[in-house]
Amino acid sequence: LDIGGVKYDLVKDENGVWTGESAPQDEGFHYYQLNIDGASVPDPGSRYYYGAVRWGSGVDVPARDQDFYALKNVPHGHVHQILFPSESTNTSRRAYVYTPPGYDTDPSKSYPVLYLQHGFGENETSWPNQGHANLIMDNLIAEGKTKPFIIVMTYGMTNDIEFGKLNEFDITPFQTVLIDELIPYVDTHFRTLANRDNRAMAGLSMGGMETRTITLANPDVFSYVGLFSGGSISPDDLKEHPDFKKNVKLLFVSYGSKELENPGRGPWGDPRKNTEAVNKAGMNTRFYVSPGTAHEFQSWRRSLYQLAPLLFR
């Protein structure tokens, strides 16, 4: 058994059943696989999820706060799969679009939009499947805790990158896909409030890095920014991009508590100190810490749950 990058031996009993025991796992979602005679394979008894650059198995350790993403008897939105034309990549690209409850019954109403990005090794299926983004929104809306809005989730890469070589990723082609192709497509095919004040971008890990880079370069496009375990904005960034401070209404930065115990926080410095500094510089900021979690989906589920009520106020 390989879970969280740690391998555990399984032992076959007299009935041919292989059993073993892993170390305790943090509450929330974890990828795992089986290594059989040198081949790494999914568990046929598991649902499959795309993560770690493959389709593989996943397990959800029951969390104390799992109620916020539980399937409940509340009005539900829809998750649409769309194919949108991308001239820059010479193909049709896929995205998933969450529309909130009531979208289909009131054609007179338009909605703000959150563009929500996955992490490295994942894809556009990750937030609907591992992240339960639609259930988080359904429950928040039913409780009156957030304004209804649309969520768009697409594949955040335009070229394949091997593990450990993310520094070779050129974000410019994806920025073209997002800004010049996907956003116009969504605004013409869904009832959106198509302006900066009603448009947000957020992402986890690599998706946070993408969000950071794209929103700094395009402060005329987004008014709300969420970085989940994906760096932070520093005072130097504000000096280089003064329109970011002027146009962005909220900067939300989050990490798992176990991530903050690790001194390796990337090239942008201490995220908490950076966020406090840009707050003192006049930006509206929020810094959220997910208790007892690391670089994992429970941190990011909680981050979306915390961010959503702050958007489009």
Side-chain angles (χ1 to χ4, degrees):
L1 168 68
D2 179 344
I3 183 167
V6 181
K7 297 178 174 60
Y8 303 90
D9 289 334
L10 306 182
V11 178
K12 185 167 65 173
D13 65 18
E14 62 274 11
N15 297 317
V17 177
W18 294 82
T19 60
E21 184 175 333
S22 77
Q25 303 296 305
D26 289 339
E27 58 186 18
F29 179 86
H30 303 278
Y31 301 111
Y32 75 95
Q33 61 186 350
L34 303 175
N35 295 328
I36 303 173
D37 295 337
S40 296
V41 299
D43 174 359
S46 162
R47 284 187 61 189
Y48 290 174
Y49 303 86
Y50 192 80
V53 201
R54 58 171 172 77
W55 286 100
S57 299
V59 61
D60 234 318
V61 178
R64 290 164 291 176
D65 59 344
Q66 64 186 3
D67 184 70
F68 75 87
Y69 54 87
L71 177 62
K72 300 180 183 178
N73 186 21
V74 299
H76 293 289
H78 294 147
V79 178
H80 311 257
Q81 176 180 275
I82 64 169
L83 297 172
F84 65 96
S86 171
E87 183 177 344
S88 68
T89 58
N90 194 32
T91 187
S92 291
R93 300 177 67 88
R94 184 171 68 166
Y96 286 90
V97 179
Y98 166 82
T99 54
Y103 179 90
D104 295 321
T105 56
D106 184 359
S108 67
K109 187 173 182 179
S110 297
Y111 296 84
V113 185
L114 166 64
Y115 290 83
L116 185 61
Q117 291 303 124
H118 60 83
F120 178 69
E122 298 168 340
N123 68 7
E124 63 273 21
T125 67
S126 299
W127 269 110
N129 290 342
Q130 293 96 298
H132 301 309
N134 56 316
L135 297 180
I136 292 172
M137 285 298 299
D138 291 343
N139 294 336
L140 282 170
I141 293 169
E143 295 169 8
K145 293 181 177 179
T146 185
K147 291 182 64 174
F149 56 84
I150 293 168
I151 301 179
V152 179
M153 300 153 280
T154 196
Y155 186 49
M157 304 190 79
T158 53
N159 56 310
D160 292 328
I161 298 293
E162 297 179 8
F163 270 123
K165 296 185 177 181
L166 190 57
N167 61 327
E168 297 180 4
F169 175 56
D170 180 5
I171 199 172
T172 304
F174 174 65
Q175 179 173 272
T176 298
V177 169
L178 178 68
I179 301 295
D180 298 337
E181 296 169 346
L182 179 56
I183 290 177
Y185 183 92
V186 170
D187 284 341
T188 54
H189 288 76
F190 292 85
R191 298 194 312 277
T192 68
L193 296 169
N195 55 57
R196 182 186 68 220
D197 288 346
N198 289 286
R199 194 179 294 123
M201 185 175 181
L204 68 89
S205 192
M206 181 193 77
M209 177 272 290
E210 291 178 325
T211 299
R212 179 186 185 279
T213 303
I214 290 174
T215 57
L216 281 171
N218 298 274
D220 57 328
V221 178
F222 303 97
S223 278
Y224 300 83
V225 175
L227 311 179
F228 306 163
S229 308
S232 57
I233 303 295
S234 71
D236 288 341
D237 292 322
L238 299 187
K239 292 177 183 177
E240 294 178 20
H241 305 275
D243 285 346
F244 183 89
K245 176 183 174 182
K246 181 176 71 174
N247 293 341
V248 171
K249 296 182 177 181
L250 171 70
L251 170 63
F252 179 95
V253 178
S254 68
Y255 279 84
S257 63
K258 294 184 178 181
E259 292 184 281
L260 295 178
E261 297 167 3
N262 184 343
R265 302 188 185 99
W268 300 295
D270 186 298
R272 189 193 299 271
K273 290 182 179 179
N274 279 342
T275 306
E276 290 173 352
V278 297
N279 180 266
K280 291 179 181 178
M283 285 203 70
N284 179 29
T285 67
R286 295 289 190 280
F287 191 83
Y288 170 70
V289 179
S290 168
T293 56
H295 200 74
E296 56 198 68
F297 250 105
Q298 196 66 10
S299 298
W300 307 321
R301 291 167 175 170
R302 290 171 175 168
S303 296
L304 177 59
Y305 179 73
Q306 295 292 327
L307 172 65
L310 303 176
L311 296 178
F312 313 119
R313 299 169 81 173

